[in-house]
Amino acid sequence: LGLAYRDLLDSIAAQWELSAHPIYTTGRDAAQEAYEDTKSAFQITVDQHADHKAIANSPITIDAQQGQTLKKADERARTNTATALLSAAREHFKNEKLVLFFDTTENLTRNADKDYSIWLWQWVQNALVQLCGLRIVVGSRDPLTQISIRSREQLSLDLQLDF
């Protein structure tokens, strides 16, 4: 699993052959544009301050409020892109059977930002609700604690592989 949500959602869209689906591309592009607009608004502010020499010859830092605003804009873009993917999948697949495989999820748990991990598991649960025919297979060396017991069937496979 990649740690960048755009890469992850684009990868799922590609696997489901939805990369060019108009609902997905329109939603993804709008989400990215909204994020970039927020980001560029800060750049304009920094450039204006620099023009007035208020910050000339000093390192430019983003204050905590700006950091929070960018984080929230990124979260909105992530949510909107994920929503667009599910909407495109609902339209395209209707009630067809669909399988999504996540492997080595223990790497996500160990290496990802906690907010990203929480978002991913919430998205998985939302996808299961919205896509009736969807089944998700999750591979992990660690127990799956992010998905509620009612939402999962957990099988332990003790495979002894000799190479």
Side-chain angles (χ1 to χ4, degrees):
L1 284 174
L3 298 180
Y5 78 86
R6 286 179 189 93
D7 294 340
L8 174 66
L9 294 173
D10 283 345
S11 174
I12 294 169
Q15 290 174 34
W16 288 350
E17 299 179 353
L18 296 173
S19 295
H21 193 286
I23 292 174
Y24 180 61
T25 57
T26 301
R28 182 186 190 280
D29 293 348
Q32 183 63 30
E33 186 177 321
Y35 174 75
E36 291 299 328
D37 286 349
T38 301
K39 195 170 149 184
S40 90
F42 288 124
Q43 184 62 44
I44 290 168
T45 301
V46 168
D47 288 344
Q48 286 174 345
H49 287 345
D51 285 345
H52 293 102
K53 301 185 193 275
I55 57 173
N57 300 322
S58 66
I60 298 172
T61 58
I62 296 178
D63 67 25
Q65 183 179 6
Q66 290 172 326
Q68 274 301 106
T69 300
L70 283 176
K71 183 178 179 182
K72 293 234 181 273
D74 189 57
E75 289 169 358
R76 275 192 308 277
R78 178 175 60 198
T79 298
N80 293 343
T81 303
T83 299
L85 177 59
L86 289 180
S87 296
R90 263 195 332 270
E91 181 190 273
H92 184 76
F93 294 111
K94 311 276 188 262
N95 292 325
E96 291 180 42
K97 292 189 188 246
L98 190 62
V99 177
L100 180 60
F101 293 90
F102 287 117
D103 194 13
T104 62
T105 57
E106 69 275 4
N107 292 334
L108 172 71
T109 305
R110 292 179 193 146
N111 301 324
D113 175 270
K114 184 179 177 183
D115 290 339
Y116 177 86
S117 183
I118 290 169
W119 165 80
L120 178 61
W121 295 116
Q122 287 173 342
W123 182 83
V124 164
Q125 291 177 348
N126 189 24
L128 287 167
V129 169
Q130 291 193 37
L131 301 170
C132 301
L134 178 63
R135 297 298 172 260
I136 298 178
V137 178
V138 179
S140 177
R141 289 184 177 95
D142 298 336
L144 299 174
T145 58
Q146 299 86 355
I147 302 173
S148 72
I149 270 296
R150 282 185 261 141
S151 301
R152 65 182 157 108
E153 176 182 347
Q154 186 167 340
L155 303 173
S156 179
L157 300 176
D158 291 324
L159 301 177
Q160 299 300 320
L161 300 176
D162 295 322
F163 292 96

